[in-house]
Amino acid sequence: MTPARRYAALSSLYSIIIAFAISTETRASEPKIKWDEVQQEALNLFVEYLKVDTTNPPGNEIRAAQFFGEICKREGIEHKIFEPLPGRGTIWARVRGNGNLRPIVLLNHLDVVPHNREYWSVDVFSGVIKDGFIYGRGAMDMKSLGMAQFVTLLALKRAKVPLKRDVIFLGTADEEAGGLHGAGWFVKNHPELLERAEFLFNEGGNNSVDPNGRVLAIGVGPSEKTPAWLRLTATGEPGHASVPRPQSAVNRLLRALNRLLDYTPPVELTPVVEQAFKAMAPLMPPEQAAKFANIREMIKDPEFLRQLEFDPGARALIRNTISITMLEGSNKINVIPPAAIAEIDTRLVPGEKLDNWIAEIKSVIKDDSIKIEPILAFEANASPIDSALVTAVAAVVKKRYPEAIISHPVLTGFTDSHYFRDLGVMSYGFSPFVAPPRELGSGYHGNDERIGKKTFVEGVRFFYEVVERLAK
Ligand SMILES: [Zn+2]
């Protein structure tokens, strides 16, 4: 294989990011649940849920909160609906355990991203089922997982499964725009409803299945990179553009941005990322395996690093990154404006401190007159990979997919999990939907978003088995 081909092949492994393989005994779930019926009901509810338009902006998540609220009412499930701003709904529902162990939270967001109707072959909010796929905005991100979580709650309640932990369903608004009016609002205003939860399941898990359907890895994601969205404002004397001013706001800003473009942040191999890469080794040819097993040393080798960074996703895991995305100067061609603004999307490796990063940016742009303000930034924490939650997933995986290993992907993006990790809740990305890529349609935020019908109903059961195992 050419180096390019070899690293293209390797790059498909990066999505796996294995941390360790666990073996533990298996246990069958309780037989009193009639799975054929539950899965059919899950499918019907999912189709109805996809019809609820919660496009953010504006959100209107209250519709989804009420959708779940109605079912809770019918089933006698304790629940509360919140609407901190008109239309922005969040739902909390709970099935009680005996309190011997701390609660589990099943977190999902109710909102979906906008769509472009002309690129869709079906009605976006019809929930249509065609050729074995269920279509609709949110089919992947993340109404399918939200419904798997809800049906889990429903099944636990109906079967009166004796639980040691409370199981809390939390459907929140606004995740697609940062979560301030959803998860962010909830943890600030109602932390008491989480009752010192120990664990949380959220989106952000990545499974790896080869095209023949062989399951290689089930992901339980312990961490993600953290956004440090920054606004850079340059100022300068305004005037008529017929008389150029070398120190104009626009010129200053462009010089600063040019320096940023030329800058490559240093490699920082954080422990959670190191662990993820190391554990990929068993899936590689022997020569590569030895290198990845020793990645902390190998990464000092410029040739190894060059080849590793052939994959932009791998590159983003070992460095802070900078994407210049928004620019604003004059609104007239012949006017030199008093200010020019750039908004840049920078992302930090887990554990990086914002203050240090801003100091680094300042030293790169070498212009103290440019103001740097954070627009969105928070601490990036990691959850442990040897917790009872990970053990529970591994036990169920062992039974369902005996050949698969447990991987621990670190996301380059971010989810609402950070709000809960900040409170000390061990939070993980986990998806129960296990299928080759083609079965998962165009995926997150894509056109004709869809999920295989079989993949969905099997996932509902998989998710239930994991939660039951952890809560019983
Ligand atoms: Zn999502």
Side-chain angles (χ1 to χ4, degrees):
M1 271 199 271
T2 63
R5 291 257 312 272
R6 184 162 63 242
Y7 287 97
L10 263 183
S11 78
S12 70
L13 288 177
Y14 294 139
S15 65
I16 305 171
I17 308 197
I18 312 303
F20 62 93
I22 301 167
S23 77
T24 171
E25 89 287 9
T26 60
R27 184 175 69 178
S29 70
E30 288 294 312
K32 49 186 160 180
I33 293 173
K34 290 183 182 149
W35 277 105
D36 284 356
E37 289 171 21
V38 172
Q39 285 170 315
Q40 184 56 50
E41 186 182 5
L43 185 63
N44 297 344
L45 286 174
F46 181 37
V47 165
E48 290 309 305
Y49 184 30
L50 284 172
K51 292 178 185 171
V52 181
D53 181 351
T54 52
T55 304
N56 182 13
N60 288 318
E61 298 91 341
I62 192 69
R63 298 168 178 165
Q66 282 160 352
F67 170 85
F68 286 120
E70 282 303 311
I71 306 169
C72 288
K73 211 188 281 174
R74 214 164 60 214
E75 300 282 335
I77 295 173
E78 182 189 7
H79 66 287
K80 291 176 195 286
I81 290 175
F82 302 96
E83 193 177 3
L85 289 172
R88 312 310 301 269
T90 279
I91 179 162
W92 169 96
R94 175 171 62 190
V95 169
R96 284 279 199 189
N98 66 13
N100 282 359
L101 294 171
R102 286 156 61 198
I104 306 170
V105 179
L106 313 181
L107 176 70
N108 64 97
H109 61 83
L110 307 172
D111 58 325
V112 296
V113 291
H115 64 277
N116 213 327
R117 180 64 186 91
E118 60 187 302
Y119 298 115
W120 282 63
S121 68
V122 297
D123 278 348
V124 180
F125 297 103
S126 64
V128 67
I129 301 178
K130 202 175 72 170
D131 305 326
F133 286 94
I134 312 152
Y135 286 77
R137 178 54 91 216
M140 287 297 300
D141 183 13
M142 66 173 284
K143 286 183 167 171
S144 45
L145 182 50
M147 186 50 74
Q149 295 181 346
F150 187 74
V151 170
T152 292
L153 193 81
L154 210 57
L156 290 170
K157 164 81 178 173
R158 285 183 186 163
K160 300 193 176 65
V161 178
L163 302 172
K164 292 198 180 86
R165 305 174 184 275
D166 292 359
V167 176
I168 295 168
F169 172 87
L170 184 59
T172 60
D174 200 35
E175 191 275 342
E176 297 291 359
L180 275 183
H181 304 304
W185 177 87
F186 187 86
V187 297
K188 201 167 149 205
N189 292 279
H190 291 286
E192 80 287 355
L193 290 176
L194 297 171
E195 295 178 296
R196 297 176 53 250
E198 185 167 18
F199 294 115
L200 178 143
F201 287 96
N202 189 16
E203 63 180 339
N206 240 335
N207 305 321
S208 182
V209 181
D210 78 11
N212 301 319
R214 200 175 135 233
V215 183
L216 303 173
I218 301 293
V220 186
S223 191
E224 47 200 37
K225 285 188 80 182
T226 184
W229 292 353
L230 303 177
R231 179 181 293 124
L232 273 54
T233 306
T235 49
E237 208 180 320
H240 197 283
S242 64
V243 183
R245 294 172 191 277
Q247 296 305 323
S248 75
V250 171
N251 290 353
R252 278 181 180 280
L253 184 70
L254 288 180
R255 281 186 206 109
L257 294 179
N258 258 321
R259 291 190 181 112
L260 279 180
L261 282 179
D262 289 341
Y263 178 62
T264 303
V267 170
E268 290 181 64
L269 187 65
T270 56
V272 69
V273 174
E274 178 187 10
Q275 176 67 56
F277 276 120
K278 265 187 176 174
M280 276 169 51
L283 292 190
M284 297 177 175
E287 195 195 333
Q288 288 294 334
K291 290 180 179 173
F292 275 79
N294 187 27
I295 190 163
R296 187 161 293 281
E297 279 307 306
M298 284 309 299
I299 213 160
K300 295 172 190 162
D301 171 2
E303 183 53 23
F304 176 84
L305 183 62
R306 194 185 68 78
Q307 292 174 349
L308 177 70
E309 293 196 313
F310 206 81
D311 179 276
R315 186 172 204 270
L317 287 178
I318 58 172
R319 297 178 194 269
N320 298 332
T321 56
I322 303 169
S323 289
I324 300 168
T325 48
M326 297 175 78
L327 293 169
E328 190 187 315
S330 179
N331 58 3
K332 276 196 97 216
I333 192 167
N334 61 352
V335 172
I336 294 173
I341 296 167
E343 293 189 356
I344 64 176
D345 181 341
T346 73
R347 306 277 174 134
L348 310 184
V349 295
E352 178 76 87
K353 295 276 178 253
L354 180 68
D355 288 351
N356 295 347
W357 175 238
I358 289 181
E360 192 172 325
I361 297 268
K362 275 192 171 142
S363 76
V364 171
I365 65 176
K366 292 191 179 73
D367 184 343
D368 288 340
S369 74
I370 291 181
K371 197 163 92 188
I372 303 178
E373 302 159 280
I375 303 168
L376 175 76
F378 48 80
E379 290 266 319
N381 297 322
S383 299
I385 55 171
D386 57 355
S387 67
L389 180 145
V390 180
T391 308
V393 174
V396 177
V397 167
K398 175 93 176 155
K399 185 181 61 153
R400 286 189 155 259
Y401 310 107
E403 288 184 13
I405 45 182
I406 303 298
S407 67
H408 291 283
V410 176
L411 294 186
T412 53
F414 67 96
T415 67
D416 277 342
S417 289
H418 68 93
Y419 290 116
F420 301 85
R421 288 195 181 110
D422 284 353
L423 293 182
V425 184
M426 289 181 261
S427 305
Y428 300 86
F430 169 66
S431 167
F433 305 119
V434 182
R438 67 171 181 279
E439 292 285 311
L440 299 173
S442 63
Y444 292 69
H445 301 192
N447 303 315
D448 274 353
E449 189 176 340
R450 61 188 182 163
I451 184 171
K453 187 172 134 184
K454 208 170 134 260
T455 304
F456 171 73
V457 296
E458 260 320 292
V460 170
R461 185 167 180 177
F462 182 15
F463 195 81
Y464 173 90
E465 288 170 0
V466 168
V467 173
E468 190 208 65
R469 187 164 184 107
L470 183 58
K472 242 170 97 164

